[in-house]
Amino acid sequence: MPDEGDEPDPDVLGKEYAIDLGDGFQAVYRPYSVNDPAKTEYSLRGRLEVIAPAGEGHGPELVRRLGQLNLANRPMTREEGEYSYLTANVTAQSLGKHAEVAAARVTGEHLEEMVRQEIFYERAHEAVGMTDSQLAGFAKGIQLEAHTRALPAKVQVLRDAVAKAAGFPDGSALAGSPGYDPAPQRSAGWLTWSRFDVGNSLPKLSTAVAGRSLVHKTTAAGLKAMLATGVLASTERRTTMGTHQGVGMSEGEDKLSGGASSVFLRVRKTSLLESKPSLVWDQPEKLLARADYYGANADTFGAINPAGSHSVSKATRDPFKIATFTSSSNEVMFADDIDLLGPHGRSRRS
């Protein structure tokens, strides 16, 4: 979160909306529609920050203010966690191209709309005599309640579709497989989900990555800072946390390519690792169980921007392909951060 009194960086390429939430709370959103990916910082598109007044103790109120943005403003439910888990696996395993998954998403939207209409008819009488601002709050409440009520059905529909796309008979068979774990894991200040395909083939992946490590090279000062904070954070996350620029490599280029939203590691043969300041994961399968990474057997600046100057065609989310990377400039990108003290923490440092 920026310090109190911080001004927008004049060197940032892009546009944002500043939304006054009242009482010193503010939201800043960088919309997709007004930020041309060919001319603006791709990694900022779609980012939302909610900023509290200076001082401590604003956490609960900050979460409550999310309701003013038509966002869920209460603890995540089990259904929300599973829906996010399934969505993350759709992306990680490239299942979105399957007709069943596309149809399930449309069905989910229809289910939520039906529930929204039901709630409106149940509570329409409550709106009599409300002011415009009260009606806006009333409508937002209905929206959030419909989202919550519809989730169990949406989860079941999406789980069945993902199961069929992944080769399972149905959603129950998928949910009963050993690798299916919809509970999120905390990674520093964010949440991560796992891949059920990796969980269901972990021995095979462990064999594929045997003798290889994932490595993040840094400087002595950088290593000291990471170990002090306990987190390896992406360029964009460091900015949100108030860290000054120039800490990482190619920060400006990464913002244009989209790579600034991720942290960068490389695949290396364990026997050839150099004694330079670095973080080392000698069991890559632990990190490759996450659902939020992609890699390339070349230096692409973490490119995910199709309108950028670096090719996105080399990117893969297949952990078995990543295990075979041999280029000295290969890269594996993990979204947001890696918690160095959590379950995905590094094996050692050098």
Side-chain angles (χ1 to χ4, degrees):
M1 181 182 300
D3 293 333
E4 185 180 22
D6 275 2
E7 296 294 333
D9 188 337
D11 296 325
V12 172
L13 301 176
K15 297 180 180 179
E16 62 187 28
Y17 294 150
I19 306 164
D20 185 1
L21 300 178
D23 301 321
F25 290 84
Q26 183 185 40
V28 178
Y29 178 61
R30 287 103 184 178
Y32 290 94
S33 59
V34 300
N35 284 299
D36 183 346
K39 301 177 181 179
T40 61
E41 296 181 5
Y42 192 81
S43 60
L44 286 175
R45 298 168 78 242
R47 290 286 185 179
L48 171 68
E49 292 180 53
V50 182
I51 305 169
E56 300 179 351
H58 296 297
E61 180 60 21
L62 187 147
V63 173
R64 191 187 71 79
R65 301 272 170 166
L66 292 176
Q68 295 176 236
L69 302 171
N70 288 341
L71 299 174
N73 58 352
R74 42 165 174 57
M76 178 185 290
T77 65
R78 180 175 180 178
E79 288 80 12
E80 285 171 328
E82 185 168 7
Y83 196 86
S84 297
Y85 170 74
L86 289 166
T87 300
N89 271 272
V90 167
T91 299
Q93 301 181 49
S94 301
L95 301 178
K97 59 189 176 184
H98 291 265
E100 302 96 331
V101 175
R105 285 171 162 167
V106 174
T107 299
E109 293 176 1
H110 290 166
L111 287 169
E112 188 166 328
E113 177 59 28
M114 290 173 58
V115 173
R116 188 180 300 114
Q117 293 297 328
E118 291 176 2
I119 297 173
F120 176 77
Y121 287 121
E122 289 174 5
R123 299 179 54 189
H125 64 282
E126 299 176 21
V128 176
M130 287 186 176
T131 64
D132 288 347
S133 61
Q134 289 172 333
L135 284 171
F138 178 72
K140 289 177 182 177
I142 289 177
Q143 180 91 2
L144 292 174
E145 186 176 346
H147 174 74
T148 301
R149 280 199 203 177
L151 261 176
K154 290 175 65 175
V155 166
Q156 183 174 347
V157 169
L158 184 57
R159 189 198 302 130
D160 283 338
V162 169
K164 292 177 182 177
F168 290 84
D170 53 36
S172 296
L174 171 60
S177 66
Y180 193 85
D181 181 12
Q185 290 186 322
R186 182 177 296 278
S187 179
W190 301 277
L191 298 178
T192 64
W193 277 264
S194 62
R195 293 178 58 148
F196 63 76
D197 61 332
V198 171
N200 286 329
S201 58
L202 197 54
K204 182 179 177 182
L205 181 59
S206 297
T207 299
V209 297
R212 294 177 177 269
S213 299
L214 285 170
V215 181
H216 176 82
K217 284 189 176 181
T218 183
T219 62
L223 182 60
K224 182 178 179 181
M226 292 175 202
L227 295 177
T229 59
V231 60
L232 172 59
S234 70
T235 295
E236 294 298 351
R237 288 306 185 186
R238 290 198 304 271
T239 301
T240 303
M241 295 160 64
T243 303
H244 60 80
Q245 297 183 24
V247 174
M249 297 176 61
S250 63
E251 291 180 351
E253 192 70 22
D254 291 347
K255 290 179 180 179
L256 296 174
S257 71
S261 298
S262 302
V263 296
F264 288 63
L265 280 67
R266 298 194 193 278
V267 177
R268 293 283 187 260
K269 286 188 176 181
T270 307
S271 60
L272 300 179
L273 291 182
E274 301 173 337
S275 298
K276 294 183 178 180
S278 58
L279 298 170
V280 181
W281 285 261
D282 287 325
Q283 294 177 294
E285 64 270 27
K286 289 186 176 181
L287 271 179
L288 295 177
R290 283 176 48 159
D292 57 1
Y293 62 85
Y294 61 102
N297 196 25
D299 187 356
T300 67
F301 293 86
I304 55 174
N305 180 3
S309 59
H310 301 285
S311 173
V312 300
S313 63
K314 298 176 182 178
T316 180
R317 296 182 184 275
D318 186 335
F320 291 95
K321 289 183 179 179
I322 290 173
T324 65
F325 283 178
T326 56
S327 170
S328 61
S329 58
N330 77 75
E331 54 190 19
V332 187
M333 283 65 64
F334 292 84
D336 297 322
D337 80 302
I338 299 175
D339 187 343
L340 302 180
L341 305 177
H344 299 130
R346 86 286 185 220
S347 305
R348 57 192 169 96
R349 60 183 175 86
S350 63

